[in-house]
Structure formats: C-alpha cells, structure tokens
Amino acid sequence: MSVEIQRAVDRTPQPWKNGLGVQYEIMCDGSLPDDWTWRLSTADITQDVPFSVFPGVNREFCVADGNGVVLTINGVEHRCEPGSITKFRGDDEVHATLIDGPMKALNLMVRDGAGEKHLHLVRAGDSIGLNSQCVLVSIIERAILDLSTGEVALDRLDAVLFFDHGIRDTSHVCQVARGTVVVMAIEGN
C-alpha cells in the first residue's frame, strides 16, 4: 500500500461555482469544473453566503475548523458544529450563517448513479482498517496517526491518501493516536 501526504497549505484556491467563496480540492475522479462523478474538497466560509447549486448531486458537509455554521436547507435550519456531518442534495436551496466567526468545511459531492461514498468520523483511540483505497483528513485540531510505517502528524485539513494498487491486504491498520479525522473510501467509482 502506498501513502501520500497532502498538506492543506499546498492546495491551490479555486472559486466556488457561484463565485461567492473559495474551495481547495483534495481529490476528484475527473476534472473541474464539471467533469467528475465525485469530489472531496475543503472550503473557507468567511461570510454568510448561499451555497452553489449542483443538481443531481448528493452532498456531505463537515465543520472542520471554527465555531460552525447554521445551514438553512430549504427553509429549515440545521446547526452544524465542529465535527458534525450534514447531508443534503446539491439542488437544495442552502444558505450558510456563520456562528461566531469564519470557519472551514470538508465537502463531499457525489453525482447520482456513482458508487456510494460517505464521510465517517474517527476519533483518537480508534483504528481504521486500510483494506481499500481511502482518504483521511484531519479536522478540528492537529492529528497524529500511527501507521505500520511510523507516525504521521497532520495539521488541520491535511490529508493522507492510501492506495492499494489492486492488491488486497487486510493487514494495514491506522491508529488515530491524537485528534479527529474524517475518512472517505475511494472504491466504488
């Protein structure tokens, strides 16, 4: 299994589809702006703002840094706090209202008909079986991961990408020694 560490500070900012915010791509199975079936990115939310519309897309939104946000989804308010994951449709009308200052989010978008993908929260003390290709993203604070190859330190929003290159080996385990990470399996494209 190969491991790639992706530092948040090295990602290139890109405008939101509606031009009202900034995102940073972690991974995508195609190319932007529209040639993809799934994508994982972070976003800076620095003001109260409507979200871009993505018809035919399932979205998962995780508060990764800051005090959170209230998402008004089709007129219903959802309080999103650090570490929470909120699911909604890309064609829903969504407006973000900040809770006490700017925040950063982790976003997963999956087009209808694509293989299922979801965000899963893993906290310190838990382990992750790495028997498939996956991405881990550190949220809320610095994370320390214990891998079979040694310890990896991740700053907030850094990511670790695991690739199995078609070789299934269930012996790889990642222990979250400190912090919180969000995991997304890549398989099932």
Side-chain angles (χ1 to χ4, degrees):
M1 178 165 289
S2 64
V3 177
E4 176 186 328
I5 298 173
Q6 185 187 91
R7 301 293 178 191
V9 297
D10 296 331
R11 295 187 195 118
T12 304
Q14 301 168 6
W16 285 4
K17 184 178 176 182
N18 67 10
L20 298 176
V22 177
Q23 68 175 344
Y24 304 84
E25 203 70 32
I26 295 172
M27 191 168 214
C28 179
D29 74 340
S31 60
L32 297 178
D34 295 315
D35 185 28
W36 51 270
T37 57
W38 66 265
R39 57 190 276 210
L40 182 66
S41 63
T42 64
D44 294 341
I45 301 179
T46 59
Q47 62 184 343
D48 298 349
V49 65
F51 278 18
S52 302
V53 175
F54 287 91
V57 173
N58 287 309
R59 297 184 68 168
E60 295 189 16
F61 173 92
C62 177
V63 176
D65 185 29
N67 294 315
V69 67
V70 174
L71 294 183
T72 303
I73 304 171
N74 297 327
V76 178
E77 290 187 355
H78 302 267
R79 186 176 179 91
C80 306
E81 297 180 344
S84 68
I85 297 173
T86 304
K87 299 177 182 184
F88 55 95
R89 293 285 298 163
D91 46 4
D92 287 341
E93 185 178 312
V94 180
H95 188 275
T97 303
L98 293 168
I99 300 172
D100 195 25
M103 53 90 55
K104 295 179 184 290
L106 180 64
N107 296 292
L108 172 63
M109 295 188 209
V110 181
R111 290 198 193 279
D112 292 346
E116 280 197 36
K117 294 186 181 352
H118 297 285
L119 300 178
H120 303 280
L121 208 60
V122 181
R123 298 187 189 281
D126 293 336
S127 60
I128 305 154
L130 302 175
N131 57 358
S132 65
Q133 302 181 89
C134 64
V135 180
L136 278 65
V137 181
S138 174
I139 65 167
I140 304 170
E141 61 186 344
R142 182 177 175 90
I144 305 292
L145 307 177
D146 287 330
L147 307 175
S148 57
T149 56
E151 189 175 274
V152 174
L154 299 176
D155 286 330
R156 198 173 301 124
L157 301 177
D158 285 353
V160 180
L161 290 65
F162 297 93
F163 300 99
D164 64 11
H165 304 291
I167 301 168
R168 295 289 180 255
D169 179 354
T170 60
S171 65
H172 296 283
V173 174
C174 170
Q175 178 78 29
V176 180
R178 176 181 166 204
T180 303
V181 298
V182 173
V183 180
M184 184 203 79
I186 297 171
E187 289 189 327
N189 295 345

